[in-house]
Amino acid sequence: MGNVLAASWPTVPRLLSQNDVTLAPGDLVGGDVVVRDDPASRTPHLRVHQDRGNTVLELHGEIDIIAALDIVPVLDEVTGRPGAQVVLDLRYIEFFDCSGLRLLYRARRRVLARGGRLQLVCTHPLTLRIMQVAGFDRVVTPLAGMDEVLGRHEAASEVL
């Protein structure tokens, strides 16, 4: 995102942080301003990184309705890119409910609609059971580790 240019708006002289919005030196303040912001840094439930050409969304802790609200903006940004190669890594979760399952289906639908690929890493027995009961394991096969996922050449989810 860039800054909105407007004449005579004051600039921020030093680094400020207020209400989950970070302003950097030179950013404009007042009016309708678009501010540089890293949504992934706002939630302890998500770490985003690159690995072998894939964007890895590493989920942490309890993935419930509150965590899902924090995760959706980043998930949408990553899965909204044309041809995105996305890996959802669930190895670090402690709890996973239907809100987490909705995140998985949302990510899959968005990635496939843009010609991308979604792969999944999960070893948590209860999470695997939730995916099995919901049928998600039939549309995206959960694998045990990153090397197994990133070493695969075929698409993990091929049809809508």
Side-chain angles (χ1 to χ4, degrees), residues 70-102:
D70 288 341
I71 293 168
V72 163
V74 180
L75 179 87
D76 284 355
E77 179 184 333
V78 170
T79 60
R81 299 174 187 151
Q85 305 296 306
V86 178
V87 177
L88 295 174
D89 186 353
L90 306 182
R91 293 177 295 168
Y92 307 102
I93 61 170
E94 299 164 8
F95 175 81
F96 188 87
D97 68 6
C98 62
S99 299
L101 191 58
R102 274 194 301 272

Side-chain angles (χ1 to χ4, degrees), residues 95-158:
F95 175 81
F96 188 87
D97 68 6
C98 62
S99 299
L101 191 58
R102 274 194 301 272
L103 289 173
L104 300 183
Y105 275 105
R106 180 184 189 108
R108 179 179 180 270
R109 178 180 43 84
R110 291 175 55 82
V111 166
L112 292 178
R114 290 159 183 83
R117 182 179 66 199
L118 178 73
Q119 298 186 82
L120 179 67
V121 176
C122 183
T123 56
H124 193 274
L126 293 176
T127 302
L128 290 168
R129 179 70 178 138
I130 289 170
M131 283 189 265
Q132 180 184 27
V133 168
F136 191 78
D137 65 334
R138 291 189 299 271
V139 295
V140 178
T141 304
L143 300 171
M146 290 299 290
D147 287 335
E148 185 179 0
V149 167
L150 297 177
R152 293 182 64 182
H153 296 290
E154 71 273 10
S157 51
E158 298 170 358

